[in-house]
Amino acid sequence: VTITYLSYSFYTDTHSPVQQNVLIFLIEYLVFALLLARNVFRSDQPSSKRKLWAMVADLGAITFVMSATQEISALFFGLYLWVVIGNGIRYGTQSLIRGQLLSAFGFSLVITLNNYWSTHLSLAAGLLLTLILIPLYIFGLFQRMSMARKIADAASYLDFLKRSHDQRIITEARQHVENLHTIAGYLAGDQVGKLYLVEDPPE
């Protein structure tokens, strides 16, 4: 609908320079979205590059819209966090950190190019800090959830060990705890080891 309206205003020569730029951007974004969708349907394998380009396109669109508008651009700021956290939840911590860096860079461009934000630097700095700190908090939350899951898995396995008389199973369980030190962190491994690891086979 937006493209149709802007195309009509462009055809009737009633458009503004901003409308012309928006029309060009929307057409380019639409073409990119169609090519990306075609790539998704033609490939049944996950692609980290495709995920990255999709995130770059989404954050770039937000940056463009916020750069082209004045105070109304504040309405679109939350979309940065929506895209960053959404990608982090769907694709993991690597996508979360990439989104954090890209969104911070994009909003920095908005501050530079948009007169409203360049004249309200205190507000802009606070929001930029939000883009940096909230993903870091989510990252830490992901790490704690992952550690808790590994601790629970190891605890369940070692609980079974207590009921076993098989020396082979006991040896494997001890090796599992040692691996946990590396995978989930020394703190998690220590906690599980203290709670569940037995030195001698049960009588």
Side-chain angles (χ1 to χ4, degrees):
V1 175
T2 304
I3 292 177
T4 302
Y5 168 75
L6 292 175
S7 298
Y8 175 78
S9 64
F10 186 83
Y11 177 76
T12 57
D13 202 26
T14 59
H15 62 280
S16 66
V18 173
Q19 290 177 323
Q20 179 179 340
N21 292 334
V22 170
L23 176 61
I24 295 173
F25 175 80
L26 287 177
I27 293 174
E28 292 175 347
Y29 187 84
L30 178 61
V31 171
F32 174 82
L34 292 174
L35 291 175
L36 184 65
R38 175 176 174 270
N39 184 270
V40 170
F41 286 120
R42 293 187 62 180
S43 174
D44 57 353
Q45 299 296 326
S47 172
S48 57
K49 289 183 179 180
R50 186 170 61 229
K51 296 172 185 176
L52 176 60
W53 279 112
M55 183 166 56
V56 169
D58 290 339
L59 295 174
I62 299 169
T63 299
F64 174 81
V65 172
M66 292 190 68
S67 299
T69 55
Q70 292 300 312
E71 62 273 10
I72 198 174
S73 62
L75 296 173
F76 302 99
F77 176 81
L79 295 178
Y80 276 125
L81 292 174
W82 176 275
V83 173
V84 173
I85 296 175
N87 276 272
I89 292 174
R90 291 180 64 189
Y91 304 126
T93 54
Q94 187 176 46
S95 290
L96 180 72
I97 298 303
R98 286 176 175 175
Q100 177 202 41
L101 297 175
L102 289 171
S103 62
F105 175 73
F107 188 60
S108 297
L109 289 179
V110 172
I111 297 173
T112 303
L113 300 175
N114 190 310
N115 292 332
Y116 174 78
W117 293 107
S118 62
T119 55
H120 295 78
L121 288 179
S122 297
L123 175 61
L127 292 177
L128 181 60
L129 191 62
T130 300
L131 285 179
I132 296 173
L133 293 181
I134 289 184
L136 286 179
Y137 172 77
I138 300 296
F139 176 81
L141 185 62
F142 284 171
Q143 296 296 97
R144 290 193 293 273
M145 291 173 62
S146 176
M147 182 179 293
R149 184 174 62 252
K150 288 179 172 64
I151 290 175
D153 291 342
S156 176
Y157 185 69
L158 293 177
D159 187 58
F160 169 76
L161 162 67
K162 285 186 174 182
R163 303 181 180 90
S164 173
H165 294 270
D166 191 333
Q167 183 63 39
R168 180 182 59 82
I169 295 179
I170 295 173
T171 302
E172 289 179 356
R174 287 174 175 164
Q175 182 63 43
H176 186 71
V177 173
E178 292 178 4
N179 293 338
L180 191 65
H181 276 276
T182 302
I183 298 172
Y186 286 98
L187 177 59
D190 289 341
Q191 289 172 344
V192 174
K194 289 177 183 178
L195 289 174
Y196 295 96
L197 184 61
V198 293
E199 294 298 334
D200 299 310
E203 299 295 335

mmCIF file of all heavy atoms in Angstrom, residues 107 111-112 114-128:
data_model
loop_
_atom_site.group_PDB
_atom_site.id
_atom_site.type_symbol
_atom_site.label_atom_id
_atom_site.label_comp_id
_atom_site.label_asym_id
_atom_site.label_seq_id
_atom_site.Cartn_x
_atom_site.Cartn_y
_atom_site.Cartn_z
ATOM 1 N N PHE A 107 21.962 2.988 15.442
ATOM 2 C CA PHE A 107 21.421 4.122 16.187
ATOM 3 C C PHE A 107 22.451 5.249 16.278
ATOM 4 O O PHE A 107 22.080 6.429 16.339
ATOM 5 C CB PHE A 107 20.983 3.686 17.580
ATOM 6 C CG PHE A 107 20.238 4.747 18.328
ATOM 7 C CD1 PHE A 107 19.058 5.275 17.825
ATOM 8 C CD2 PHE A 107 20.723 5.243 19.526
ATOM 9 C CE1 PHE A 107 18.362 6.270 18.507
ATOM 10 C CE2 PHE A 107 20.042 6.231 20.211
ATOM 11 C CZ PHE A 107 18.857 6.750 19.700
ATOM 12 N N ILE A 111 21.775 9.155 15.324
ATOM 13 C CA ILE A 111 22.156 10.324 16.118
ATOM 14 C C ILE A 111 22.926 11.322 15.267
ATOM 15 O O ILE A 111 22.763 12.543 15.381
ATOM 16 C CB ILE A 111 22.990 9.889 17.338
ATOM 17 C CG1 ILE A 111 22.153 8.996 18.262
ATOM 18 C CG2 ILE A 111 23.511 11.093 18.104
ATOM 19 C CD1 ILE A 111 22.943 8.387 19.406
ATOM 20 N N THR A 112 23.784 10.811 14.384
ATOM 21 C CA THR A 112 24.600 11.679 13.541
ATOM 22 C C THR A 112 23.788 12.355 12.442
ATOM 23 O O THR A 112 23.983 13.547 12.154
ATOM 24 C CB THR A 112 25.739 10.864 12.902
ATOM 25 O OG1 THR A 112 26.514 10.239 13.931
ATOM 26 C CG2 THR A 112 26.638 11.763 12.071
ATOM 27 N N ASN A 114 20.242 12.581 12.119
ATOM 28 C CA ASN A 114 18.943 13.149 12.462
ATOM 29 C C ASN A 114 19.123 14.351 13.384
ATOM 30 O O ASN A 114 19.706 14.238 14.467
ATOM 31 C CB ASN A 114 18.074 12.073 13.137
ATOM 32 C CG ASN A 114 16.623 12.519 13.302
ATOM 33 O OD1 ASN A 114 16.355 13.605 13.795
ATOM 34 N ND2 ASN A 114 15.705 11.667 12.903
ATOM 35 N N ASN A 115 18.607 15.503 12.977
ATOM 36 C CA ASN A 115 18.773 16.722 13.766
ATOM 37 C C ASN A 115 18.130 16.626 15.140
ATOM 38 O O ASN A 115 18.631 17.201 16.119
ATOM 39 C CB ASN A 115 18.182 17.921 13.011
ATOM 40 C CG ASN A 115 18.969 18.273 11.774
ATOM 41 O OD1 ASN A 115 20.176 18.019 11.714
ATOM 42 N ND2 ASN A 115 18.305 18.830 10.770
ATOM 43 N N TYR A 116 17.012 15.909 15.218
ATOM 44 C CA TYR A 116 16.332 15.791 16.507
ATOM 45 C C TYR A 116 17.224 15.103 17.528
ATOM 46 O O TYR A 116 17.377 15.573 18.656
ATOM 47 C CB TYR A 116 15.024 15.010 16.354
ATOM 48 C CG TYR A 116 14.355 14.723 17.668
ATOM 49 C CD1 TYR A 116 13.632 15.713 18.327
ATOM 50 C CD2 TYR A 116 14.459 13.463 18.258
ATOM 51 C CE1 TYR A 116 13.025 15.455 19.553
ATOM 52 C CE2 TYR A 116 13.862 13.196 19.484
ATOM 53 C CZ TYR A 116 13.140 14.198 20.117
ATOM 54 O OH TYR A 116 12.543 13.934 21.335
ATOM 55 N N TRP A 117 17.829 13.986 17.139
ATOM 56 C CA TRP A 117 18.654 13.240 18.082
ATOM 57 C C TRP A 117 19.980 13.937 18.349
ATOM 58 O O TRP A 117 20.518 13.861 19.458
ATOM 59 C CB TRP A 117 18.894 11.827 17.561
ATOM 60 C CG TRP A 117 17.641 11.007 17.521
ATOM 61 C CD1 TRP A 117 16.941 10.635 16.414
ATOM 62 C CD2 TRP A 117 16.924 10.482 18.637
ATOM 63 N NE1 TRP A 117 15.832 9.913 16.774
ATOM 64 C CE2 TRP A 117 15.796 9.803 18.131
ATOM 65 C CE3 TRP A 117 17.121 10.524 20.016
ATOM 66 C CZ2 TRP A 117 14.872 9.156 18.954
ATOM 67 C CZ3 TRP A 117 16.202 9.889 20.842
ATOM 68 C CH2 TRP A 117 15.098 9.207 20.320
ATOM 69 N N SER A 118 20.505 14.623 17.351
ATOM 70 C CA SER A 118 21.777 15.323 17.554
ATOM 71 C C SER A 118 21.621 16.523 18.484
ATOM 72 O O SER A 118 22.611 16.994 19.064
ATOM 73 C CB SER A 118 22.358 15.771 16.211
ATOM 74 O OG SER A 118 21.485 16.677 15.558
ATOM 75 N N THR A 119 20.409 17.022 18.637
ATOM 76 C CA THR A 119 20.165 18.132 19.563
ATOM 77 C C THR A 119 19.618 17.649 20.908
ATOM 78 O O THR A 119 19.390 18.466 21.798
ATOM 79 C CB THR A 119 19.176 19.138 18.956
ATOM 80 O OG1 THR A 119 17.975 18.461 18.582
ATOM 81 C CG2 THR A 119 19.780 19.812 17.734
ATOM 82 N N HIS A 120 19.394 16.374 21.044
ATOM 83 C CA HIS A 120 18.951 15.782 22.312
ATOM 84 C C HIS A 120 19.925 14.650 22.668
ATOM 85 O O HIS A 120 19.544 13.489 22.775
ATOM 86 C CB HIS A 120 17.516 15.247 22.205
ATOM 87 C CG HIS A 120 16.491 16.304 21.976
ATOM 88 N ND1 HIS A 120 16.272 16.889 20.743
ATOM 89 C CD2 HIS A 120 15.622 16.897 22.836
ATOM 90 C CE1 HIS A 120 15.300 17.790 20.843
ATOM 91 N NE2 HIS A 120 14.889 17.813 22.103
ATOM 92 N N LEU A 121 21.171 15.022 22.869
ATOM 93 C CA LEU A 121 22.219 14.025 23.043
ATOM 94 C C LEU A 121 22.083 13.236 24.341
ATOM 95 O O LEU A 121 22.451 12.061 24.399
ATOM 96 C CB LEU A 121 23.590 14.703 22.988
ATOM 97 C CG LEU A 121 24.033 15.193 21.600
ATOM 98 C CD1 LEU A 121 25.391 15.878 21.683
ATOM 99 C CD2 LEU A 121 24.077 14.037 20.605
ATOM 100 N N SER A 122 21.563 13.868 25.381
ATOM 101 C CA SER A 122 21.404 13.140 26.649
ATOM 102 C C SER A 122 20.412 11.994 26.491
ATOM 103 O O SER A 122 20.656 10.860 26.940
ATOM 104 C CB SER A 122 20.934 14.096 27.752
ATOM 105 O OG SER A 122 21.897 15.097 27.993
ATOM 106 N N LEU A 123 19.297 12.284 25.855
ATOM 107 C CA LEU A 123 18.310 11.241 25.595
ATOM 108 C C LEU A 123 18.878 10.163 24.674
ATOM 109 O O LEU A 123 18.706 8.965 24.905
ATOM 110 C CB LEU A 123 17.062 11.857 24.971
ATOM 111 C CG LEU A 123 15.968 10.885 24.517
ATOM 112 C CD1 LEU A 123 15.440 10.081 25.695
ATOM 113 C CD2 LEU A 123 14.836 11.645 23.836
ATOM 114 N N ALA A 124 19.577 10.603 23.627
ATOM 115 C CA ALA A 124 20.150 9.659 22.669
ATOM 116 C C ALA A 124 21.186 8.761 23.342
ATOM 117 O O ALA A 124 21.227 7.552 23.093
ATOM 118 C CB ALA A 124 20.781 10.415 21.506
ATOM 119 N N ALA A 125 22.018 9.348 24.213
ATOM 120 C CA ALA A 125 23.044 8.559 24.899
ATOM 121 C C ALA A 125 22.408 7.521 25.820
ATOM 122 O O ALA A 125 22.877 6.383 25.913
ATOM 123 C CB ALA A 125 23.967 9.482 25.683
ATOM 124 N N GLY A 126 21.328 7.915 26.490
ATOM 125 C CA GLY A 126 20.639 6.967 27.364
ATOM 126 C C GLY A 126 20.053 5.797 26.593
ATOM 127 O O GLY A 126 20.154 4.638 27.022
ATOM 128 N N LEU A 127 19.456 6.077 25.454
ATOM 129 C CA LEU A 127 18.884 5.000 24.641
ATOM 130 C C LEU A 127 19.974 4.125 24.032
ATOM 131 O O LEU A 127 19.814 2.904 23.922
ATOM 132 C CB LEU A 127 18.005 5.600 23.540
ATOM 133 C CG LEU A 127 16.721 6.286 24.028
ATOM 134 C CD1 LEU A 127 15.971 6.907 22.856
ATOM 135 C CD2 LEU A 127 15.827 5.293 24.764
ATOM 136 N N LEU A 128 21.081 4.750 23.630
ATOM 137 C CA LEU A 128 22.199 3.968 23.091
ATOM 138 C C LEU A 128 22.751 3.029 24.159
ATOM 139 O O LEU A 128 23.085 1.864 23.875
ATOM 140 C CB LEU A 128 23.296 4.904 22.586
ATOM 141 C CG LEU A 128 24.532 4.238 21.966
ATOM 142 C CD1 LEU A 128 24.142 3.398 20.761
ATOM 143 C CD2 LEU A 128 25.566 5.291 21.573
#
